[in-house]
Amino acid sequence: MSALLKPISHNLSLLIARGLLGCFVFLTAMTRFTAGDAIYFNKQLTAINLPDMPWLSAVLGGIQLLVVLALLLPQQKWSQVSLYAYAVLATVPLLMLFTHPVWIDALGGFPAIGAGQGLIKYLAIVAVTLYVASHYGDHYRIKRMATALLAAGIVLVMAWIGAMKFTQIEADGIEGLMSTSPLFSWIYAIFSVLHGSYFIGVIELIAVLGILLASWSRTAYVLGLAVAALTFAATQTFVITLPAYETSLGFPVLTGSGEFIVKDLALLAACIILYARLTTTHVQAE
């Protein structure tokens, strides 16, 4: 297996990760300046009994654009501070798991997750941001913590969403995505909607198992990372095939579904960093 592994340099993995994270941050920043996002954020504030802040969405968009610039110039001290601040800000959606109705009551509530599926992806977003900032800032303790969070973020998403694939609600929910994509629509030619969902769930849980076996099997770990990375890369096709963008403003802007999908760019970045750490000797020694 070792002979088959093609090393990715740590610097190259960071360059790719910065690009992927930057794409996610930029694409979602554009939606922050729309009326729809302003309404969305006010609804979230109302859910926790806070007053309306019609300016909040635009402010967040401005912060995200600053983060994009920081990712382009990560060696700068202000960039590292900006990235750390964004990592802290990105933990807020994770807290919404406890303050907002994101569980599916029809399936018994927690841990049957509905709207919160997009929220749990923020753990990987936090992890990649911390990893980039700590690497360029030579903050090795934070970097070690971020490395653990990278794996945790991937496992959290793949395990939780993968397990949800064994429910009819989730099977029905993903049908619209899967059936429009040439990469996935073939599944429904072989399986029913429910059994197709089972098939995808099994693949996602295989990836989880491989990553969890990292301490015992290098082969299983690489397999798990590869399956996860291919999954996160393939889902990006949904942006075009669904489609998950709209052009009413005169230029393409992601819809809510689009924002959910492009979060996988951060998860893909996490997979690439972890693979590079595995195949780069000097990184393994950190």
Side-chain angles (χ1 to χ4, degrees):
M1 179 66 185
S2 297
L4 297 176
L5 293 180
K6 302 298 182 183
I8 297 177
S9 73
H10 191 231
N11 287 338
L12 178 59
S13 74
L14 277 164
L15 180 63
I16 295 172
R18 285 162 46 203
L20 291 171
L21 182 62
C23 285
F24 156 71
V25 175
F26 177 77
L27 289 172
T28 54
M30 292 299 96
T31 68
R32 301 291 175 258
F33 300 100
T34 65
D37 249 37
I39 293 171
Y40 168 80
F41 279 104
N42 277 333
K43 286 182 178 179
Q44 304 312 309
L45 293 171
T46 300
I48 53 175
N49 299 315
L50 288 177
D52 288 353
M53 300 180 191
W55 44 265
L56 178 61
S57 180
V59 168
L60 291 175
I63 292 172
Q64 288 183 235
L65 292 178
L66 178 63
V67 170
V68 173
L69 184 58
L71 287 167
L72 292 173
L73 302 167
Q75 296 87 355
Q76 303 297 317
K77 185 68 176 179
W78 69 264
S79 296
Q80 294 153 25
V81 172
S82 298
L83 291 171
Y84 280 130
Y86 179 68
V88 172
L89 185 63
T91 63
V92 174
L94 289 170
L95 299 178
M96 291 169 62
L97 291 169
F98 307 101
T99 60
H100 289 65
V102 298
W103 315 110
I104 302 176
D105 292 336
L107 296 178
F110 179 84
I113 197 167
Q117 289 189 13
L119 301 180
I120 60 177
K121 294 184 179 184
Y122 276 95
L123 180 58
I125 294 167
V126 170
V128 175
T129 305
L130 285 176
Y131 191 91
V132 172
S134 61
H135 172 78
Y136 289 100
D138 293 326
H139 304 139
Y140 295 110
R141 289 184 180 179
I142 298 176
K143 190 174 180 180
R144 284 195 293 271
M145 178 187 71
T147 303
L149 288 178
L150 290 171
I154 297 168
V155 168
L156 178 70
V157 168
M158 295 294 280
W160 208 334
I161 296 180
M164 284 298 298
K165 296 294 190 298
F166 295 90
T167 67
Q168 186 68 58
I169 290 176
E170 182 73 5
D172 293 337
I174 66 171
E175 183 185 9
L177 286 171
M178 308 295 289
S179 61
T180 63
S181 172
L183 294 181
F184 296 100
S185 58
W186 61 268
I187 292 174
Y188 296 121
I190 301 174
F191 302 106
S192 67
V193 170
L194 182 58
H195 289 98
S197 185
Y198 288 173
F199 174 72
I200 298 165
V202 168
I203 292 174
E204 291 175 339
L205 294 181
I206 286 174
V208 171
L209 180 61
I211 294 170
L212 292 178
L213 290 174
S215 298
W216 296 275
S217 174
R218 181 185 176 100
T219 300
Y221 183 50
V222 171
L223 176 63
L225 286 177
V227 172
L230 287 172
T231 300
F232 300 136
T235 58
Q236 299 313 299
T237 63
F238 296 149
V239 173
I240 304 299
T241 60
L242 187 56
Y245 64 91
E246 55 95 15
T247 57
S248 61
L249 297 177
F251 55 90
V253 176
L254 293 175
T255 63
S257 295
E259 291 193 59
F260 175 81
I261 292 165
V262 298
K263 288 173 185 174
D264 285 359
L265 291 173
L267 287 149
L268 177 57
C271 292
I272 291 170
I273 291 172
L274 291 176
Y275 179 78
R277 289 186 64 85
L278 180 69
T279 58
T280 305
T281 304
H282 80 274
V283 174
Q284 292 174 337
E286 286 183 2

